[in-house]
Amino acid sequence: MKLLLLLLAAGGLAAIFSAQKGPLPLSCKVPKCLQPVAIDAVWEKAPWQSFDSQPIALPMGNAPEHLPHTAVKIAYDDDALYLIFRVVDRYVRAITTEHQKGEVWKDSCVEFFFTPGHDIAIGHFYLEMNCGGTMLFRFHGPNAVETIPQSEYGTMSIAHSLPKIVDPEIREPITWTLEYRLPLAILKKYCAVHAPATGVVWRANFYKCADASSHPHWLTWSPVDFPTPQFHLPEFFGTLEFE
């Protein structure tokens, strides 16, 4: 009888996975910081040393000629999210210098797209930042897209290992890092925010791109089942599980 139950359970799971359309979304645990993190773009410091990283390694569209080794770590406290990216890269550029207006995704860029809760219908934020620390930060709501004003995003702390401008393109191998602190208070002005706490789940994805570099690429953390690079598909967001 026990063997029969195991076989039935296995058959049920097989049926569930066979019915799943497209790749399964990824999930990661988000640890809580016991004290604020120093924002200095240093990957090998506490508390990041004890936290797991997530690879941003899945190509969107055709596999690129250049696939930079990109990783992200994320953590939180009662007031903010903390993120740090490390990219083992080549063909690096950053020519966009004006926040909220420039085309940062054409530079060597890392991106954080997220819904601050489990219901993607409320909309999603997207925070794109090139290797020089220039950002595009917006809320993509159900009916409109809103750009976060300087009076609000100015409360963020940002650090980057490369200069603000990287021109000409660095064609040799180089490793760069980018780190920032994102206050939760910014988000609460645009939608309901399920405050990070043990057991809370958000939907999110991380991306790496460089549209206008000599070796363009579009990479994602959680798989996106779409034939061409497309970032605004929250149905493919993975999950952030706060510890």
Side-chain angles (χ1 to χ4, degrees):
M1 176 61 72
K2 185 174 182 181
L3 177 60
L4 177 60
L5 290 175
L6 288 173
L7 290 172
L8 288 172
L13 288 173
I16 291 173
F17 286 117
S18 66
Q20 173 72 34
K21 294 183 178 179
L24 294 173
L26 296 186
S27 178
C28 74
K29 303 290 187 180
V30 181
K32 186 172 185 178
C33 300
L34 299 180
Q35 57 186 12
V37 179
I39 306 301
D40 54 15
V42 175
W43 180 266
E44 303 87 359
K45 67 169 183 282
W48 296 126
Q49 288 174 327
S50 60
F51 296 161
D52 292 335
S53 64
Q54 301 297 320
I56 306 173
L58 302 175
M60 289 190 284
N62 296 326
E65 180 181 342
H66 169 57
L67 199 159
H69 295 283
T70 309
V72 61
K73 294 185 178 185
I74 180 170
Y76 79 102
D77 62 20
D78 292 335
D79 300 314
L81 295 180
Y82 299 88
L83 289 92
I84 188 167
F85 296 83
R86 182 179 64 181
V87 187
V88 182
D89 210 354
R90 292 183 67 182
Y91 316 110
V92 176
R93 63 167 248 162
I95 64 172
T96 303
T97 59
E98 189 172 3
H99 291 308
Q100 305 293 60
K101 294 183 179 180
E103 298 171 319
V104 294
W105 62 90
K106 291 186 176 181
D107 293 337
S108 298
C109 181
V110 288
E111 305 184 354
F112 178 37
F113 280 50
F114 63 97
T115 294
H118 66 278
D119 183 9
I120 59 174
I122 68 172
H124 62 275
F125 292 90
Y126 55 101
L127 179 48
E128 309 174 14
M129 197 174 298
N130 70 12
C131 60
T134 300
M135 80 172 86
L136 180 65
F137 187 15
R138 290 175 175 165
F139 175 65
H140 195 293
N143 301 310
V145 176
E146 300 180 74
T147 299
I148 312 300
Q150 183 177 357
S151 59
E152 296 172 19
Y153 73 71
T155 62
M156 293 178 59
S157 299
I158 303 168
H160 42 95
S161 62
L162 290 178
K164 191 173 186 65
I165 298 175
V166 179
D167 186 34
E169 179 181 273
I170 300 173
R171 301 181 64 85
E172 297 77 20
I174 187 170
T175 297
W176 56 272
T177 54
L178 177 72
E179 183 178 24
Y180 55 81
R181 177 183 184 272
L182 174 58
L184 297 171
I186 298 175
L187 313 179
K188 296 175 182 178
K189 298 182 180 181
Y190 297 90
C191 68
V193 174
H194 200 169
T198 303
V200 168
V201 172
W202 286 15
R203 300 290 303 279
N205 214 340
F206 305 101
Y207 305 111
K208 168 71 180 77
C209 60
D211 291 33
S213 75
S214 65
H215 289 66
H217 51 267
W218 300 269
L219 308 176
T220 180
W221 165 62
S222 191
V224 175
D225 189 14
F226 201 76
T228 58
Q230 174 57 262
F231 300 87
H232 294 279
L233 293 175
E235 61 268 32
F236 294 112
F237 283 2
T239 57
L240 304 179
E241 301 176 6
F242 293 92
E243 296 183 329

